């Protein structure tokens, strides 16, 4: 894929305009993080080099300025991800309330170790740090959705529902 | 003691909408501010209130505001810190989700007080759905003439925007947040200059926590003097506490500062005691960065006085026997919890979150995680305890921002108060498996 083939949808282009209006004209680089989120939502949940180059071209900045930012922030995926990226919090309160059990259960159920994408491309488990949901531990996030006070039964139901739905999780 | 200034109406259906929020006294502070107060009057009220920053450091808000430089012809900015990523802390999320207009009203009043005409709320990226809630509420406020040009006919203009982060704890540090808002990596800046002089795009900027800004609303409503009567000593007002861990009722509680810790943990009004009838082992009282305290020291100070939920009382005894109120992330551990393993999750966190600019932090956090991993794996020796102490002691005061210290303090406190547990893992490596937290799921009592 070359940069010229990559383009935001009409709707996303409109969003780009709205985002750019949030800053003084000469400060449009501030739009970089919002645009990377948008790009990730538009292009299969991850940022390829051509996608990052496309974002650079919109903001009229050097591609390196995009790469260095994209690689700094945990939320930007620089590799392809499963259709549903299951981000399990593993920090203190969640750990205390069984996060390790959650991870193990997911690995068993999906038949892949943490980090890898399941054979059908549907699921990928990732461990992450505190998501601000410690009072409803254990928890995970998929796309923009928080799943809290998890139990094995709840996880069964969630995975079943996502399999039925079978579309990439929503971001932004 | 349940005095509520922020969350009094949090359970009213529809309070997230402008209409219901207004029916319950919402935007009265804004009307009062714009119609009867000059910007400096508001700063004065905030000073009188004794309000201290709720983001963790507890710096007096009125004083911070009075430092804001006001050069002619240069815009000033107010930036709300909603990055909320300190493990154990989820109060800002609760407030923004339930009563988004409280934050928005606080932002308008505070922006007016500071003379800002553009303001931003920087929200941690993972809170996608909170961002949507805020954007919706902001839209409502614009439509009602509470934002935009000539707000409520006062001649005051304000634009308010929401900016998402990218999943980096360090962006909660205010200068890293500003870098991030400028579209860069979240590397903290060397201070001075402070943001009050050169902040966002080099302009004078105030950065305040969500809860701090929300608290400006009741302060304007009831006056700084009345606010200062609530709480205890220099810990004025109320504080949102995020309570989590092995308690019966985890959640966000608004407390009047000065509630005894024991009451907070055991009363049904708050945490409702320890789960499954277990005993209390330790508490991390103010988010992952503050020193952990064992039961004896969290319930009572070293002098034997009841420990209170206030900046002063939690700090009593310094780091030798005390801790900090911090962000109010109150993590409770029962008798079966491994303090070492919990510390390992913190160390892993800080290692992951270090921005990497300073060697003591970048390398030190990695070392601490690795050494703690040895304890978990049953491979540690006695000298590893000393090595761990040594590494943590070489971070404090040697870094650009306080993340390094935040990583070191919990390690120091765990060794200080729970050295025997580290020794136990060296002497009896298999004892790590005695810890039963693996079977806590669904609140099921282990057999
Ligand atoms: C590593 C680090 C992370 C921080 N994270 C947050 C945060 O998530 N939210 C916050 O309000 N303050 C955070 N702070 C404190 C901010 O730097 C700043 O002091 C605060 O936003 C000021 O607001 P306040 O005076 O209203 O508390 C953090 C500080 C450090 C060093
Ligand atoms: S102390 Fe750590 S997080 Fe802070 S600037 Fe230095 S390396 Fe970055
Ligand atoms: S510790 Fe898991 S959400 Fe905070």
């Amino acid at each position: 894929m070359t940069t010229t083939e990559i383009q935001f949808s009409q709707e996303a282009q409109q969003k780009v305009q709205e985002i750019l209006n949030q800053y003084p004209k000469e400060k449009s680089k501030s739009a970089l993080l919002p645009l990377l989120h948008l790009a990730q939502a538009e292009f299969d949940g991850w940022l390829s080099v051509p996608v990052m180059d496309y974002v650079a071209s919109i903001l009229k900045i050097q591609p390196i300025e995009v790469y260095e930012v994209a690689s700094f922030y945990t939320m930007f995926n620089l590799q392809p991800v499963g259709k549903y990226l299951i981000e399990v919090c593993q920090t203190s309160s969640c750990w205390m309330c069984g996060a390790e059990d959650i991870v193990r259960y997911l690995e068993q159920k999906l038949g892949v170790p943490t980090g890898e994408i399941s054979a059908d491309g549907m699921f990928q488990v990732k461990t992450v740090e505190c998501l601000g949901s410690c009072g409803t531990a254990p928890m995970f996030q998929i796309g923009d959705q928080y799943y809290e006070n998890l139990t094995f039964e709840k996880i069964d139901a969630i995975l079943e529902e996502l399999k039925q739905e079978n579309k990439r999780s929503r971001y932004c | 003691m349940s005095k509520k200034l922020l969350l009094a109406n949090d359970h009213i259906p529809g309070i997230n909408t402008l209409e219901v929020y207004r029916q319950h006294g919402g935007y009265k502070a804004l009307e009062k501010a714009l119609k009867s107060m000059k910007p400096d009057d508001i700063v004065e009220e905030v000073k009188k209130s004794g309000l201290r920053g709720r983001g963790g450091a507890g710096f007096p808000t009125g004083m911070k505001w009075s430092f804001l430089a006001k050069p002619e012809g240069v815009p000033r900015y107010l930036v709300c810190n909603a990055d909320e990523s300190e493990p154990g802390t989820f109060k800002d999320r609760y407030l923004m989700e339930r009563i988004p207009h409280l934050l928005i009203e606080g932002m308008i009043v505070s922006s007016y007080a500071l003379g800002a005409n553009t303001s931003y709320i920087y929200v941690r990226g993972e809170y996608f759905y909170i961002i949507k809630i805020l954007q919706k509420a902001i839209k409502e406020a614009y439509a009602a003439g509470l934002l935009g040009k000539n707000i409520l006919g006062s001649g005051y203009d304000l634009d308010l925007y929401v900016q998402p982060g990218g999943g980096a704890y360090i962006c909660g540090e205010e200068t890293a947040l500003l870098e991030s808002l400028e579209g860069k990596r979240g590397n903290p800046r060397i201070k001075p200059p402070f943001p009050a002089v050169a902040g966002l795009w080099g302009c004078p900027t105030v950065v305040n926590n969500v809860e701090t800004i929300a608290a400006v609303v009741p302060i304007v409503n009831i006056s700084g003097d009345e606010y200062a009567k609530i709480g205890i000593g220099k810990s004025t007002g109320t504080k949102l506490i995020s309570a989590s861990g092995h308690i019966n009722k985890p959640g966000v509680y608004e407390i009047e500062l000065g509630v005894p810790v024991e009451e907070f943990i055991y009363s049904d009004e708050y945490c409702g005691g320890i789960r499954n009838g277990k005993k209390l082992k330790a508490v991390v009282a103010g988010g992952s960065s503050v020193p952990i305290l064992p039961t004896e020291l969290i319930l009572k100070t070293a002098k034997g006085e009841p420990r209170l939920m206030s900046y002063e009382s939690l700090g009593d005894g310094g780091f030798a026997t005390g801790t900090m109120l911090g962000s109010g992330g109150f993590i409770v551990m029962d008798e079966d919890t491994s303090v070492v393993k919990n510390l390992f999750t913190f160390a892993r966190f800080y290692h992951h979150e270090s921005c990497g600019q300073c060697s003591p932090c970048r390398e030190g956090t990695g070392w601490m995680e690795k050494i703690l991993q040895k304890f978990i794996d049953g491979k540690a020796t006695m000298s590893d305890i000393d090595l761990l102490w040594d590494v943590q002691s070489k971070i404090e005061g040697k870094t650009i921002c306080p993340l390094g210290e935040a990583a070191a303090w919990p390690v120091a406190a765990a060794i200080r108060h729970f050295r025997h547990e580290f020794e136990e893992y060296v002497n009896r490596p298999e004892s790590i498996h005695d810890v039963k937290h693996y079977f806590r799921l669904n609140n099921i009592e282990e057999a």
Side-chain angles (χ1 to χ4, degrees):
Chain A
M1 254 191 314
T2 62
T3 306
T4 45
E5 293 164 25
I6 291 171
Q7 215 171 25
F8 278 147
S9 63
Q10 280 295 320
E11 198 193 340
Q13 291 195 16
Q14 212 168 332
K15 269 199 188 148
V16 171
Q17 273 319 311
E18 280 171 32
I19 292 168
L20 286 172
N21 287 338
Q22 303 189 348
Y23 320 100
K25 277 215 170 46
E26 68 284 14
K27 305 295 181 195
S28 59
K29 188 175 171 182
S30 284
L32 184 48
L33 269 77
L35 289 199
L36 289 177
H37 281 300
L38 192 60
Q40 202 158 262
E42 286 270 297
F43 304 109
D44 296 336
W46 72 291
L47 300 170
S48 64
V49 168
V51 165
M52 290 191 278
D53 293 349
Y54 173 62
V55 170
S57 73
I58 295 175
L59 293 178
K60 301 187 183 70
I61 57 179
Q62 294 301 319
I64 182 69
E65 296 179 73
V66 180
Y67 308 158
E68 66 168 9
V69 164
S71 61
F72 182 87
Y73 295 94
T74 308
M75 290 180 74
F76 301 125
N77 304 312
L78 302 180
Q79 300 287 333
V81 290
K83 210 173 239 178
Y84 296 103
L85 183 60
I86 308 176
E87 303 185 274
V88 189
C89 171
Q90 60 174 353
T91 319
S92 174
S93 307
C94 283
W95 161 73
M96 269 187 248
C97 295
E100 292 182 342
D101 286 342
I102 299 289
V103 173
R104 228 164 307 165
Y105 187 71
L106 285 169
E107 287 179 337
Q108 267 172 25
K109 231 182 122 107
L110 302 173
V112 280
T114 297
E116 287 178 25
I117 304 173
S118 63
D120 55 4
M122 284 277 275
F123 295 105
Q124 183 178 8
V125 180
K126 183 180 169 193
T127 50
V128 296
E129 302 297 344
C130 180
L131 289 172
S133 193
C134 336
T136 41
M139 64 82 62
F140 56 57
Q141 176 170 29
I142 304 176
D144 62 4
Q145 187 95 19
Y146 273 44
Y147 297 90
E148 303 171 277
N149 291 313
L150 290 173
T151 61
F152 295 151
E153 293 74 31
K154 264 196 193 174
I155 293 176
D156 290 345
I158 293 163
L159 295 183
E160 214 34 63
E161 201 186 308
L162 295 179
K163 271 185 205 154
Q164 299 294 329
E165 212 180 72
N166 191 16
K167 56 172 191 259
R168 193 162 281 286
S169 40
R170 274 176 302 126
Y171 294 90
C172 328
Chain B
M1 282 273 259
S2 62
K3 180 101 194 162
K4 290 195 178 174
L5 298 175
L6 303 178
L7 302 183
N9 297 326
D10 65 342
H11 285 295
I12 293 172
I15 194 73
N16 59 334
T17 63
L18 178 63
E19 191 187 346
V20 178
Y21 180 70
R22 275 192 133 164
Q23 281 163 10
H24 290 84
Y27 289 104
K28 286 261 160 61
L30 179 63
E31 281 177 35
K32 182 172 171 184
L34 292 183
K35 295 200 168 135
S36 67
M37 297 170 85
K38 287 201 267 314
D40 283 346
D41 298 340
I42 300 169
V43 177
E44 205 46 45
E45 287 307 312
V46 172
K47 272 190 190 158
K48 280 189 201 154
S49 75
L51 175 67
R52 295 165 66 170
R54 302 299 196 220
F59 191 81
T61 307
M63 202 190 295
K64 185 174 197 167
W65 286 13
S66 64
F67 293 155
L68 185 66
K70 294 180 176 166
E72 272 302 310
V74 179
R76 303 190 276 275
Y77 295 100
L78 172 63
V79 177
C80 173
N81 188 342
D83 192 55
E84 188 164 75
S85 310
E86 170 107 348
T89 315
F90 43 97
K91 65 185 177 77
D92 297 339
R93 171 183 165 204
Y94 185 88
L95 192 152
M96 293 186 285
E97 176 172 351
R98 296 294 172 115
I99 326 183
H101 283 286
L102 182 63
L103 174 60
I104 292 165
E105 182 175 9
M107 284 298 287
I108 308 170
V109 174
S110 305
S111 299
Y112 171 68
L114 297 168
N117 297 109
T118 306
S119 296
Y120 296 91
I121 305 175
Y122 181 99
V123 185
R124 71 176 293 180
E126 293 91 340
Y127 286 177
F128 289 111
Y129 81 101
I130 298 284
I131 292 173
K132 283 184 206 152
I133 290 172
L134 289 174
Q135 282 171 337
K136 191 166 161 227
I138 287 173
K139 218 177 219 172
E140 284 182 303
Y142 268 104
L146 300 166
L147 275 170
K149 295 257 175 277
N150 192 18
I151 297 172
L152 297 175
S154 65
Y156 174 63
D157 305 338
L158 177 68
D159 283 315
L160 178 60
Y161 303 111
V162 183
Q163 176 85 356
Y169 167 64
I170 191 56
C171 292
E173 194 280 332
E174 57 187 12
T175 60
L177 186 153
L178 296 173
E179 287 286 298
S180 181
L181 184 43
E182 292 180 8
K184 303 180 201 150
R185 294 163 75 97
N187 287 342
R189 298 174 182 169
I190 294 176
K191 296 186 252 188
F194 288 92
V197 176
L200 184 59
W201 303 309
C203 301
T205 302
V206 166
V207 180
N208 272 132
N209 175 256
V210 171
E211 186 187 347
T212 312
I213 289 171
V216 172
V217 173
I219 289 169
V220 167
N221 275 328
I222 65 175
S223 85
D225 283 336
E226 283 306 306
Y227 186 91
K229 287 182 192 159
I230 302 162
I232 182 165
K234 284 189 177 162
S235 297
T236 61
T238 63
K239 173 90 190 84
L240 301 182
I241 305 292
S242 319
S244 69
H246 299 138
I247 44 179
N248 282 316
K249 291 168 55 199
V252 175
Y253 296 100
E254 180 170 11
I255 60 158
E256 176 167 357
L257 284 163
V259 173
V261 172
E262 188 157 4
E263 179 182 339
F264 184 69
I265 296 175
Y266 291 101
S267 147
D268 280 335
E269 197 180 335
Y270 306 113
C271 303
I274 311 299
R275 270 191 205 175
N276 299 332
K278 296 277 180 182
K279 288 205 208 66
L280 175 65
K281 176 170 184 177
V283 173
V284 174
S288 58
S289 305
V290 313
I292 188 172
L293 288 182
T295 305
E296 321 79 83
L297 286 174
I298 188 67
L299 299 181
K300 287 196 165 56
T301 66
K303 287 175 245 155
E305 288 160 359
R307 184 87 73 183
L308 310 179
M309 301 285 282
S310 72
Y311 293 96
E312 292 74 24
S313 181
L314 283 168
D316 189 286
F319 279 4
T321 59
T323 181
M324 286 163 78
L325 178 61
S327 62
F330 197 86
I331 309 171
V332 180
M333 295 168 209
D334 75 8
E335 54 189 307
D336 294 334
T337 311
S338 164
V339 164
V340 176
K341 179 82 195 255
N342 180 68
L343 181 64
F344 168 76
T345 76
F346 286 162
R348 180 175 56 196
F349 168 80
Y350 287 109
H351 182 206
H352 184 255
E353 302 301 336
S354 168
C355 84
Q357 285 191 107
C358 328
S359 320
C361 171
R362 181 188 61 241
E363 304 302 322
T365 51
W367 273 74
M368 294 193 293
E369 183 191 347
K370 271 192 209 140
I371 300 168
L372 283 160
Q373 180 80 58
K374 281 177 82 179
F375 283 92
I376 309 299
D377 293 344
K379 293 188 178 138
T381 61
M382 284 298 172
S383 66
D384 284 322
I385 305 178
D386 300 327
L387 181 62
L388 190 57
W389 182 269
D390 191 52
V391 173
Q392 73 76 24
S393 71
K394 287 181 172 143
I395 300 175
E396 190 171 348
K398 298 183 178 65
T399 57
I400 294 175
C401 92
L403 184 139
E405 278 142 37
W409 292 338
V411 172
I415 299 179
R416 193 179 296 124
H417 301 299
F418 294 93
R419 194 179 179 102
H420 53 277
E421 206 175 298
F422 289 84
E423 290 170 352
E424 175 79 356
Y425 288 147
V426 175
N427 290 329
R428 268 196 338 117
E430 67 281 8
S431 66
I432 187 88
H433 300 297
D434 295 351
V435 176
K436 302 185 187 66
H437 42 255
Y438 297 113
F439 308 103
R440 261 319 132 56
L441 211 53
N442 307 352
N443 298 349
I444 298 168
E445 278 263 28
E446 58 278 0

